[in-house]
Amino acid sequence: MTSSDSAHKAPAKDPWDLPDVTGLVVGVLGGTGPQGKGLAYRLARAGQKVIIGSRAAERARAAAEEVGHGVEGADNAETARRSDIVIVAVPWEGHADLLRSLREQLAGKLVVDCVNPLGFDKKGAYALKPEEGSAAEQAAALLPEARVTAAFHHLSAVLLQDPEIERIDTDVMVLGEERADVETVQALAGRIPGMRGIYAGRLRGAHQVESLVATLISVNRRYKAHAGLRITDV
């Protein structure tokens, strides 16, 4: 590279220069469960347009009414069709079947997988490793026409749903293959007061992020807490 080339090289992009996501519609598949309902509540409370999805539209509408803040409810297929960003917050046991059934509706969508494959025995929680490597990689395999990212794994459903809590001071690790998609999810996380979205690598690293939830469960049981994560020096 010549000195002239060096002088005209574009400056590095500020990693905190994130897009405006305020106008995007967010669908939450599994929005009637604690994690999904909590995320729907926090995002809607921050001013995001949110649709809760469920296998039964009636259940979704009942959950949406409970959440308030303009949240709507619909069956999973309609939720996927109407949303720009779709958060997958279903139990691990139903993850693959749900995504297979929505492949057409999720084509072209930005999908955010926050599912944690876990097992439980008398010693507590432990991580499961799917054949694809992680829940997020399973989603990417099942949804080849979607843009799959992974995020929102380490949030306490109790804190998310508590209306007395104004801020949730925690970081959200975001993984994905495309910078623009990751930055969109980072910006979405940042809509919730106290949260930051932190780039954490490509989808191949999702297993260690998902499995860390088992460790947090052990921490929370010992200390009767609702621990999250903070990334220091960033």
Coordinates of all heavy atoms in Angstrom, one line a residue, residues 99-182:
L99 N -39.8 -24.6 13.5 CA -39.1 -23.9 12.4 C -39.4 -24.6 11.1 O -39.5 -24.0 10.0 CB -37.6 -23.9 12.7 CG -37.3 -23.0 13.9 CD1 -35.7 -22.9 14.1 CD2 -37.9 -21.6 13.9
R100 N -39.4 -25.9 11.1 CA -39.8 -26.7 9.8 C -41.1 -26.2 9.3 O -41.3 -26.0 8.1 CB -39.8 -28.2 10.0 CG -38.5 -28.8 10.1 CD -38.6 -30.4 10.1 NE -37.4 -31.0 10.5 CZ -37.2 -31.4 11.8 NH1 -38.2 -31.4 12.7 NH2 -36.1 -32.0 12.1
S101 N -42.1 -26.0 10.2 CA -43.4 -25.7 9.8 C -43.5 -24.2 9.3 O -44.5 -23.9 8.6 CB -44.4 -25.9 10.9 OG -44.2 -24.9 11.9
L102 N -42.6 -23.4 9.6 CA -42.6 -22.0 9.2 C -41.6 -21.6 8.2 O -41.3 -20.4 8.0 CB -42.5 -21.1 10.5 CG -43.6 -21.2 11.5 CD1 -43.2 -20.4 12.8 CD2 -44.9 -20.8 11.0
R103 N -41.0 -22.5 7.6 CA -39.9 -22.2 6.6 C -40.3 -21.2 5.6 O -39.6 -20.3 5.3 CB -39.4 -23.5 6.0 CG -38.3 -23.3 4.9 CD -37.7 -24.6 4.4 NE -36.9 -24.3 3.2 CZ -36.1 -25.2 2.7 NH1 -36.1 -26.5 3.2 NH2 -35.3 -25.0 1.7
E104 N -41.5 -21.4 5.0 CA -42.0 -20.5 4.0 C -42.2 -19.1 4.5 O -41.8 -18.1 3.9 CB -43.3 -21.0 3.4 CG -43.9 -20.1 2.3 CD -45.2 -20.7 1.7 OE1 -45.5 -21.9 2.0 OE2 -45.9 -19.9 1.1
Q105 N -42.9 -19.0 5.7 CA -43.2 -17.7 6.3 C -41.9 -16.9 6.8 O -41.9 -15.7 6.8 CB -44.2 -17.8 7.4 CG -45.6 -18.3 7.0 CD -45.7 -19.8 7.0 OE1 -44.6 -20.5 7.0 NE2 -46.9 -20.3 6.9
L106 N -40.9 -17.7 7.1 CA -39.7 -17.0 7.6 C -38.6 -16.7 6.5 O -37.6 -16.2 6.8 CB -39.1 -17.9 8.7 CG -39.9 -18.0 10.0 CD1 -39.3 -19.1 10.9 CD2 -39.9 -16.6 10.7
A107 N -38.9 -17.1 5.3 CA -38.0 -16.8 4.2 C -37.8 -15.3 4.1 O -38.7 -14.5 4.1 CB -38.5 -17.4 2.9
G108 N -36.5 -14.9 4.1 CA -36.2 -13.5 3.9 C -36.2 -12.7 5.2 O -35.8 -11.5 5.3
K109 N -36.7 -13.3 6.3 CA -36.8 -12.6 7.6 C -35.5 -12.7 8.4 O -34.6 -13.6 8.2 CB -37.9 -13.3 8.5 CG -39.2 -13.4 7.8 CD -39.9 -12.0 7.7 CE -41.3 -12.1 7.1 NZ -42.0 -10.8 7.1
L110 N -35.3 -11.7 9.3 CA -34.2 -11.7 10.2 C -34.7 -12.5 11.4 O -35.6 -12.1 12.1 CB -33.8 -10.3 10.6 CG -32.7 -10.2 11.7 CD1 -31.5 -11.0 11.4 CD2 -32.3 -8.7 11.9
V111 N -34.1 -13.7 11.7 CA -34.5 -14.6 12.8 C -33.5 -14.5 13.9 O -32.3 -14.6 13.7 CB -34.7 -16.0 12.3 CG1 -35.0 -17.0 13.4 CG2 -35.8 -16.1 11.2
V112 N -34.0 -14.3 15.1 CA -33.2 -14.2 16.3 C -33.5 -15.4 17.2 O -34.6 -15.5 17.8 CB -33.4 -12.9 17.1 CG1 -32.3 -12.8 18.2 CG2 -33.3 -11.7 16.2
D113 N -32.6 -16.4 17.2 CA -32.8 -17.6 18.0 C -32.3 -17.4 19.4 O -31.1 -17.1 19.6 CB -32.1 -18.8 17.4 CG -32.7 -20.1 17.8 OD1 -32.6 -20.4 19.0 OD2 -33.3 -20.8 17.0
C114 N -33.1 -17.5 20.5 CA -32.6 -17.4 21.8 C -32.9 -18.7 22.7 O -32.9 -18.6 23.9 CB -33.3 -16.2 22.5 SG -35.0 -16.3 22.8
V115 N -33.0 -19.8 21.9 CA -33.3 -21.1 22.6 C -32.0 -21.7 23.2 O -31.0 -21.7 22.5 CB -34.0 -22.0 21.6 CG1 -34.2 -23.4 22.2 CG2 -35.3 -21.4 21.1
N116 N -32.2 -22.2 24.4 CA -31.0 -22.9 25.1 C -31.3 -24.4 25.2 O -32.2 -24.7 26.0 CB -30.9 -22.3 26.4 CG -30.6 -20.8 26.4 OD1 -29.7 -20.3 25.7 ND2 -31.5 -20.0 27.1
P117 N -30.6 -25.2 24.5 CA -30.8 -26.7 24.6 C -30.2 -27.1 26.0 O -29.0 -27.2 26.1 CB -30.0 -27.3 23.5 CG -29.8 -26.1 22.5 CD -29.7 -24.9 23.4
L118 N -31.1 -27.5 26.9 CA -30.7 -27.9 28.2 C -31.3 -29.2 28.7 O -32.4 -29.5 28.3 CB -31.0 -26.8 29.3 CG -30.4 -25.4 29.1 CD1 -31.0 -24.5 30.2 CD2 -28.9 -25.5 29.2
G119 N -30.6 -29.9 29.5 CA -31.2 -31.1 30.2 C -31.1 -30.8 31.7 O -30.4 -29.9 32.1
F120 N -31.9 -31.6 32.4 CA -31.9 -31.4 33.9 C -31.9 -32.8 34.5 O -32.6 -33.7 34.1 CB -33.2 -30.7 34.3 CG -33.2 -29.2 33.9 CD1 -33.8 -28.9 32.6 CD2 -32.7 -28.2 34.6 CE1 -33.8 -27.6 32.2 CE2 -32.8 -26.9 34.2 CZ -33.3 -26.6 33.0
D121 N -31.1 -32.9 35.6 CA -31.1 -34.2 36.4 C -30.9 -33.7 37.8 O -31.0 -32.6 38.2 CB -30.0 -35.2 35.9 CG -28.6 -34.6 36.0 OD1 -28.4 -33.6 36.7 OD2 -27.7 -35.2 35.3
K122 N -30.6 -34.7 38.7 CA -30.6 -34.4 40.1 C -29.4 -33.5 40.5 O -29.3 -32.9 41.6 CB -30.5 -35.7 41.0 CG -29.3 -36.5 40.7 CD -29.3 -37.8 41.5 CE -28.1 -38.7 41.3 NZ -28.2 -39.9 42.1
K123 N -28.4 -33.4 39.5 CA -27.3 -32.5 39.8 C -27.6 -31.1 39.3 O -26.7 -30.2 39.4 CB -26.0 -33.0 39.1 CG -25.5 -34.3 39.7 CD -24.2 -34.8 39.0 CE -23.7 -36.1 39.6 NZ -22.5 -36.5 38.9
G124 N -28.7 -30.9 38.6 CA -29.0 -29.5 38.0 C -29.1 -29.5 36.5 O -29.3 -30.5 35.9
A125 N -28.9 -28.3 36.0 CA -29.0 -28.1 34.6 C -27.6 -28.4 33.9 O -26.6 -28.2 34.5 CB -29.3 -26.6 34.3
Y126 N -27.7 -28.9 32.7 CA -26.5 -29.2 31.9 C -26.9 -28.9 30.4 O -28.0 -29.0 30.0 CB -26.0 -30.6 32.1 CG -27.0 -31.7 31.7 CD1 -26.9 -32.3 30.4 CD2 -27.9 -32.2 32.6 CE1 -27.8 -33.3 30.1 CE2 -28.8 -33.2 32.3 CZ -28.7 -33.7 31.0 OH -29.6 -34.7 30.7
A127 N -25.8 -28.6 29.6 CA -26.0 -28.2 28.2 C -26.1 -29.5 27.4 O -25.4 -30.5 27.6 CB -24.9 -27.4 27.8
L128 N -27.0 -29.4 26.4 CA -27.1 -30.4 25.4 C -26.5 -29.9 24.1 O -26.5 -28.7 23.9 CB -28.6 -30.7 25.1 CG -29.5 -31.2 26.3 CD1 -30.9 -31.3 25.8 CD2 -28.9 -32.5 26.8
K129 N -25.9 -30.8 23.3 CA -25.3 -30.3 22.0 C -26.1 -30.9 20.8 O -26.0 -32.1 20.6 CB -23.8 -30.6 21.9 CG -23.2 -30.0 20.7 CD -21.7 -29.9 20.9 CE -21.1 -29.1 19.7 NZ -19.6 -29.0 19.8
P130 N -26.8 -30.1 20.1 CA -27.6 -30.6 19.0 C -26.6 -31.2 17.9 O -25.5 -30.8 17.9 CB -28.4 -29.4 18.5 CG -28.4 -28.5 19.7 CD -27.1 -28.7 20.4
E131 N -27.2 -32.0 17.0 CA -26.4 -32.5 16.0 C -25.7 -31.4 15.1 O -24.6 -31.6 14.6 CB -27.3 -33.4 15.1 CG -26.6 -34.1 13.9 CD -27.5 -35.0 13.1 OE1 -28.6 -35.2 13.5 OE2 -27.1 -35.3 12.0
E132 N -26.5 -30.3 14.9 CA -26.0 -29.2 14.1 C -24.9 -28.4 14.8 O -24.3 -27.5 14.2 CB -27.1 -28.3 13.7 CG -28.2 -29.0 12.8 CD -29.2 -29.8 13.6 OE1 -29.1 -29.8 14.9 OE2 -30.2 -30.3 13.0
G133 N -24.8 -28.6 16.1 CA -23.8 -27.8 16.9 C -24.5 -26.9 18.0 O -23.9 -26.7 19.1
S134 N -25.6 -26.4 17.7 CA -26.3 -25.5 18.6 C -27.7 -25.3 18.1 O -28.1 -25.6 16.9 CB -25.6 -24.1 18.6 OG -25.7 -23.5 17.4
A135 N -28.6 -24.7 18.9 CA -29.9 -24.3 18.5 C -29.9 -23.4 17.3 O -30.7 -23.5 16.3 CB -30.8 -23.8 19.6
A136 N -29.0 -22.4 17.4 CA -29.0 -21.4 16.3 C -28.5 -22.0 15.0 O -29.1 -21.7 13.9 CB -28.0 -20.3 16.7
E137 N -27.6 -22.9 15.0 CA -27.1 -23.6 13.8 C -28.2 -24.5 13.3 O -28.3 -24.7 12.1 CB -25.8 -24.3 14.1 CG -24.6 -23.4 14.3 CD -23.4 -24.1 14.8 OE1 -23.4 -24.6 15.9 OE2 -22.4 -24.2 14.1
Q138 N -29.0 -25.1 14.2 CA -30.1 -25.9 13.7 C -31.1 -25.0 13.0 O -31.6 -25.4 11.9 CB -30.8 -26.6 14.9 CG -31.9 -27.5 14.5 CD -32.7 -28.1 15.7 OE1 -33.5 -27.5 16.2 NE2 -32.3 -29.4 16.0
A139 N -31.4 -23.8 13.6 CA -32.3 -22.9 12.9 C -31.8 -22.5 11.5 O -32.5 -22.5 10.5 CB -32.5 -21.7 13.8
A140 N -30.5 -22.3 11.4 CA -29.9 -21.9 10.1 C -30.0 -23.0 9.1 O -30.3 -22.8 7.9 CB -28.4 -21.5 10.3
A141 N -29.9 -24.2 9.6 CA -30.0 -25.4 8.7 C -31.4 -25.6 8.2 O -31.7 -26.0 7.1 CB -29.5 -26.6 9.4
L142 N -32.4 -25.3 9.1 CA -33.8 -25.5 8.8 C -34.4 -24.4 8.0 O -35.4 -24.5 7.4 CB -34.6 -25.8 10.1 CG -34.3 -27.1 10.8 CD1 -35.0 -27.1 12.2 CD2 -34.7 -28.3 10.0
L143 N -33.7 -23.2 8.1 CA -34.3 -22.0 7.5 C -33.2 -21.4 6.5 O -32.7 -20.3 6.7 CB -34.6 -21.0 8.5 CG -35.6 -21.4 9.6 CD1 -35.7 -20.4 10.7 CD2 -37.0 -21.7 9.0
P144 N -32.9 -22.1 5.4 CA -31.9 -21.6 4.5 C -32.1 -20.3 3.9 O -31.2 -19.6 3.4 CB -31.7 -22.8 3.5 CG -33.1 -23.5 3.5 CD -33.5 -23.4 4.9
E145 N -33.4 -19.9 3.8 CA -33.7 -18.6 3.1 C -33.9 -17.5 4.1 O -34.2 -16.4 3.7 CB -35.0 -18.8 2.3 CG -34.8 -19.8 1.1 CD -36.1 -20.1 0.5 OE1 -37.0 -20.6 1.1 OE2 -36.2 -19.9 -0.8
A146 N -33.7 -17.8 5.4 CA -33.8 -16.7 6.4 C -32.4 -16.3 6.8 O -31.4 -16.9 6.4 CB -34.5 -17.3 7.7
R147 N -32.3 -15.2 7.5 CA -31.0 -14.6 8.0 C -31.0 -14.9 9.5 O -31.6 -14.2 10.3 CB -30.9 -13.2 7.7 CG -30.8 -12.9 6.2 CD -31.6 -11.7 5.8 NE -31.4 -10.6 6.6 CZ -32.4 -9.6 6.9 NH1 -33.6 -9.8 6.4 NH2 -32.1 -8.6 7.6
V148 N -30.3 -15.9 10.0 CA -30.4 -16.4 11.3 C -29.3 -15.8 12.2 O -28.1 -15.8 11.8 CB -30.3 -17.9 11.4 CG1 -30.3 -18.4 12.9 CG2 -31.5 -18.5 10.7
T149 N -29.7 -15.2 13.3 CA -28.7 -14.8 14.3 C -29.1 -15.4 15.7 O -30.1 -16.1 15.8 CB -28.8 -13.2 14.5 OG1 -30.1 -12.9 14.9 CG2 -28.5 -12.5 13.2
A150 N -28.2 -15.2 16.7 CA -28.5 -15.8 18.0 C -28.3 -14.7 19.0 O -27.3 -13.9 19.0 CB -27.5 -16.9 18.3
A151 N -29.2 -14.5 20.0 CA -29.1 -13.5 21.0 C -30.2 -13.7 22.1 O -31.0 -14.6 21.9 CB -29.3 -12.1 20.4
F152 N -30.1 -12.9 23.1 CA -31.1 -12.9 24.3 C -31.1 -14.2 25.1 O -32.1 -14.5 25.6 CB -32.5 -12.6 23.7 CG -32.6 -11.3 23.0 CD1 -33.0 -11.2 21.7 CD2 -32.4 -10.1 23.7 CE1 -33.1 -10.0 21.0 CE2 -32.5 -8.9 23.1 CZ -32.9 -8.8 21.7
H153 N -30.0 -14.9 25.1 CA -30.0 -16.2 25.8 C -30.0 -16.1 27.4 O -30.4 -17.0 28.1 CB -28.8 -17.0 25.4 CG -28.7 -17.3 24.0 ND1 -28.0 -16.5 23.1 CD2 -29.2 -18.3 23.2 CE1 -28.1 -17.0 21.9 NE2 -28.8 -18.1 21.9
H154 N -29.4 -15.0 27.9 CA -29.0 -15.0 29.3 C -29.9 -14.1 30.1 O -29.4 -13.6 31.2 CB -27.5 -14.6 29.5 CG -26.6 -15.4 28.6 ND1 -25.7 -14.9 27.7 CD2 -26.5 -16.8 28.5 CE1 -25.0 -15.9 27.2 NE2 -25.5 -17.0 27.6
L155 N -31.1 -13.8 29.7 CA -32.0 -12.9 30.4 C -32.9 -13.6 31.3 O -33.5 -14.6 31.0 CB -32.8 -12.1 29.4 CG -31.9 -11.3 28.3 CD1 -32.9 -10.6 27.4 CD2 -30.9 -10.4 28.9
S156 N -33.1 -13.0 32.5 CA -34.0 -13.6 33.5 C -35.5 -13.2 33.1 O -35.8 -12.1 33.0 CB -33.7 -13.0 34.8 OG -34.8 -13.2 35.7
A157 N -36.3 -14.3 32.9 CA -37.7 -14.0 32.6 C -38.4 -13.3 33.7 O -39.3 -12.5 33.5 CB -38.4 -15.4 32.3
V158 N -37.9 -13.6 35.0 CA -38.5 -12.9 36.1 C -38.3 -11.4 36.0 O -39.2 -10.6 36.2 CB -37.9 -13.4 37.4 CG1 -38.4 -12.6 38.6 CG2 -38.3 -14.9 37.6
L159 N -37.1 -11.0 35.7 CA -36.8 -9.5 35.6 C -37.5 -8.9 34.4 O -38.0 -7.8 34.5 CB -35.3 -9.3 35.5 CG -34.4 -9.8 36.7 CD1 -32.9 -9.4 36.4 CD2 -34.9 -9.2 38.0
L160 N -37.5 -9.6 33.3 CA -38.1 -9.1 32.1 C -39.6 -8.8 32.3 O -40.1 -7.8 31.8 CB -38.0 -10.1 31.0 CG -36.6 -10.3 30.3 CD1 -36.7 -11.5 29.3 CD2 -36.2 -9.0 29.6
Q161 N -40.3 -9.6 33.1 CA -41.7 -9.4 33.3 C -42.1 -8.5 34.5 O -43.3 -8.2 34.7 CB -42.4 -10.8 33.5 CG -42.3 -11.7 32.3 CD -43.0 -13.0 32.5 OE1 -44.2 -13.1 32.2 NE2 -42.3 -14.0 32.9
D162 N -41.1 -8.1 35.3 CA -41.4 -7.3 36.5 C -41.6 -5.8 36.1 O -40.7 -5.1 35.8 CB -40.3 -7.4 37.5 CG -40.6 -6.8 38.8 OD1 -41.6 -6.0 38.9 OD2 -40.0 -7.2 39.8
P163 N -42.9 -5.3 36.2 CA -43.1 -3.9 35.8 C -42.5 -2.9 36.7 O -42.4 -1.7 36.4 CB -44.6 -3.8 35.8 CG -45.1 -4.9 36.8 CD -44.1 -6.0 36.6
E164 N -42.1 -3.3 37.9 CA -41.4 -2.4 38.9 C -40.0 -2.1 38.5 O -39.4 -1.2 39.0 CB -41.5 -3.0 40.3 CG -42.9 -3.2 40.8 CD -43.7 -1.9 40.8 OE1 -43.2 -0.9 41.3 OE2 -44.9 -1.9 40.4
I165 N -39.4 -2.9 37.7 CA -38.0 -2.8 37.3 C -37.9 -1.9 36.0 O -38.4 -2.3 35.0 CB -37.3 -4.2 37.1 CG1 -37.3 -4.9 38.4 CG2 -35.9 -4.0 36.5 CD1 -36.8 -6.3 38.3
E166 N -37.2 -0.8 36.2 CA -37.1 0.2 35.0 C -36.0 -0.2 34.1 O -36.1 -0.1 32.9 CB -36.9 1.6 35.6 CG -38.0 2.2 36.4 CD -39.2 2.5 35.6 OE1 -39.1 2.8 34.4 OE2 -40.3 2.4 36.1
R167 N -34.9 -0.7 34.7 CA -33.7 -1.0 33.9 C -33.2 -2.5 34.2 O -33.3 -2.9 35.3 CB -32.5 -0.1 34.2 CG -32.7 1.3 33.9 CD -31.5 2.2 34.4 NE -30.2 1.7 34.0 CZ -29.6 2.0 32.9 NH1 -30.2 2.9 32.1 NH2 -28.4 1.6 32.6
I168 N -32.7 -3.1 33.1 CA -32.1 -4.4 33.3 C -30.7 -4.3 32.9 O -30.4 -4.2 31.7 CB -32.9 -5.5 32.5 CG1 -34.3 -5.6 32.9 CG2 -32.2 -6.9 32.7 CD1 -35.1 -6.6 32.2
D169 N -29.8 -4.2 33.8 CA -28.4 -3.9 33.6 C -27.7 -5.2 33.2 O -27.2 -6.0 34.0 CB -27.7 -3.3 34.8 CG -28.3 -1.9 35.0 OD1 -28.3 -1.1 34.0 OD2 -28.6 -1.5 36.1
T170 N -27.6 -5.5 31.9 CA -27.0 -6.7 31.4 C -26.6 -6.5 30.0 O -27.0 -5.6 29.3 CB -28.0 -7.9 31.5 OG1 -27.3 -9.1 31.3 CG2 -29.1 -7.8 30.5
D171 N -25.7 -7.4 29.5 CA -25.3 -7.4 28.1 C -25.9 -8.5 27.4 O -26.2 -9.6 28.0 CB -23.8 -7.4 27.9 CG -23.1 -6.1 28.3 OD1 -23.7 -5.1 28.2 OD2 -21.9 -6.2 28.8
V172 N -26.2 -8.4 26.1 CA -26.8 -9.4 25.2 C -25.7 -9.7 24.2 O -25.4 -8.9 23.4 CB -28.1 -8.9 24.6 CG1 -28.5 -9.9 23.5 CG2 -29.1 -8.6 25.6
M173 N -25.2 -11.0 24.2 CA -24.3 -11.4 23.2 C -25.0 -11.8 21.9 O -26.0 -12.6 22.0 CB -23.4 -12.6 23.7 CG -22.5 -12.1 24.8 SD -21.2 -13.3 25.2 CE -22.1 -14.5 26.2
V174 N -24.6 -11.2 20.8 CA -25.2 -11.4 19.5 C -24.3 -12.1 18.6 O -23.1 -11.6 18.4 CB -25.7 -10.1 18.9 CG1 -26.5 -10.3 17.7 CG2 -26.5 -9.3 19.9
L175 N -24.7 -13.2 18.0 CA -23.9 -13.9 17.0 C -24.6 -14.0 15.7 O -25.8 -14.0 15.6 CB -23.6 -15.3 17.5 CG -23.0 -15.5 18.9 CD1 -24.0 -15.7 20.0 CD2 -22.0 -16.6 18.9
G176 N -23.8 -14.0 14.6 CA -24.4 -14.1 13.3 C -23.3 -14.0 12.2 O -22.1 -13.8 12.5
E177 N -23.7 -14.3 11.0 CA -22.8 -14.3 9.8 C -22.7 -13.0 9.1 O -21.6 -12.7 8.5 CB -23.3 -15.4 8.8 CG -23.3 -16.8 9.4 CD -22.0 -17.2 10.0 OE1 -21.0 -17.0 9.3 OE2 -22.0 -17.8 11.1
E178 N -23.7 -12.1 9.2 CA -23.7 -10.9 8.4 C -23.6 -9.7 9.4 O -24.5 -9.6 10.3 CB -24.9 -10.7 7.5 CG -25.0 -11.8 6.5 CD -23.8 -11.8 5.5 OE1 -23.3 -10.7 5.3 OE2 -23.5 -12.8 4.9
R179 N -22.7 -8.8 9.2 CA -22.6 -7.7 10.1 C -23.8 -6.8 10.2 O -24.2 -6.5 11.3 CB -21.4 -6.8 9.7 CG -21.3 -5.5 10.5 CD -20.1 -4.6 10.1 NE -18.9 -5.2 10.5 CZ -17.7 -4.5 10.4 NH1 -17.7 -3.2 9.9 NH2 -16.6 -5.0 10.7
A180 N -24.5 -6.6 9.1 CA -25.7 -5.8 9.2 C -26.8 -6.4 10.0 O -27.5 -5.7 10.8 CB -26.2 -5.5 7.8
D181 N -26.9 -7.7 9.9 CA -28.0 -8.4 10.7 C -27.6 -8.4 12.2 O -28.5 -8.1 13.0 CB -28.1 -9.9 10.3 CG -28.6 -10.0 8.8 OD1 -29.3 -9.0 8.4 OD2 -28.4 -11.0 8.2
V182 N -26.3 -8.6 12.5 CA -25.9 -8.6 13.9 C -26.1 -7.2 14.5 O -26.6 -7.0 15.6 CB -24.4 -9.0 14.0 CG1 -23.9 -8.7 15.4 CG2 -24.2 -10.5 13.7

